[in-house]
Amino acid sequence: YISVSSTSEFSSRRVVSRGFLGVSLSDFEQGGVILESVDEGAARRAGLKPGDVIVRIDEQLIANRPDILSYLSVLDPNTIVTATVKREADEFETEIVLGSPPDSSRHAADMMSKSLRRDGFSQVFCHDADLPPEACGGPIFDLDGNFFGLNIARHSRVRCFALSPQVLEQFIEPYTK
């Protein structure tokens, strides 16, 4: 693949690569969040129903809607969480495999294949190779054959994200001692 990189390193804030339950929520007066509706998705696959109240996810106490949204925003799709749920007089735990937020765009550019995790990186640079998501993980070389980086995600139709050699060195350094 041949591409052009014209960006310096930047932080890619997490927008679409986050855990998703597929529910509509509201605050529950006694603490927790009540499931107003349960769409086809992670919560339904875990057996949750409208009217259920989530009071804890993993070790995180859920007091209100901002608590659960904040917690889910840092988790990747396919992460398995344990939810403590109140249903009428019963309380139980259930494992939920988080899904991905639905893509509401029907633009042709948004219909192409992208990486499941494609944002939320602290330090990446961008290039424009037509790289399929399954080809991520491969090295990038400049025209002189020097190692330039490592592909990590297909973000959009014209953007792939990569890690620089310096970022890779910082990651690997603790394991080389």
Side-chain angles (χ1 to χ4, degrees):
Y1 302 95
I2 296 177
S3 70
V4 174
S5 175
S6 61
T7 68
S8 56
E9 291 180 312
F10 61 95
S11 174
S12 164
R13 101 184 154 86
R14 190 179 287 240
V15 176
V16 294
S17 299
R18 58 185 168 79
F20 187 75
L21 286 174
V23 297
S24 296
L25 303 166
S26 62
D27 291 345
F28 189 64
E29 294 112 22
Q30 290 83 23
V33 290
I34 189 166
L35 306 185
E36 297 291 339
S37 66
V38 179
D39 302 330
E40 295 298 323
R44 178 162 292 180
R45 284 190 302 273
L48 299 182
K49 301 175 182 178
D52 287 348
V53 177
I54 297 176
V55 295
R56 181 179 301 276
I57 293 187
D58 296 331
E59 299 303 315
Q60 176 69 41
L61 184 64
I62 304 298
N64 52 39
R65 218 171 151 266
D67 284 350
I68 194 168
L69 296 176
S70 174
Y71 188 72
L72 293 174
S73 74
V74 299
L75 298 176
D76 292 329
N78 293 326
T79 299
I80 299 172
V81 297
T82 301
T84 304
V85 179
K86 290 183 180 180
R87 180 179 291 159
E88 297 173 5
D90 297 326
E91 184 172 296
F92 61 93
E93 288 187 348
T94 187
E95 285 191 345
I96 303 171
V97 179
L98 297 177
S100 299
D103 188 3
S104 58
S105 171
R106 294 292 164 229
H107 189 277
D110 294 327
M111 302 299 275
M112 66 166 295
S113 183
K114 299 178 221 47
S115 297
L116 185 61
R117 168 76 188 274
R118 61 182 182 269
D119 57 12
F121 302 110
S122 61
Q123 198 171 354
V124 294
F125 68 90
C126 182
H127 64 88
D128 69 351
D130 186 12
L131 184 71
E134 58 274 7
C136 289
I140 303 170
F141 296 96
D142 67 16
L143 292 175
D144 296 323
N146 300 308
F147 180 67
F148 192 71
L150 184 72
N151 286 305
I152 59 168
R154 176 68 186 210
H155 181 269
S156 66
R157 182 179 66 84
V158 295
R159 294 177 95 183
C160 285
F161 289 157
L163 299 175
S164 70
Q166 295 78 18
V167 170
L168 292 169
E169 286 174 13
Q170 290 171 2
F171 177 76
I172 293 170
E173 184 180 351
Y175 302 103
T176 60
K177 293 180 179 181

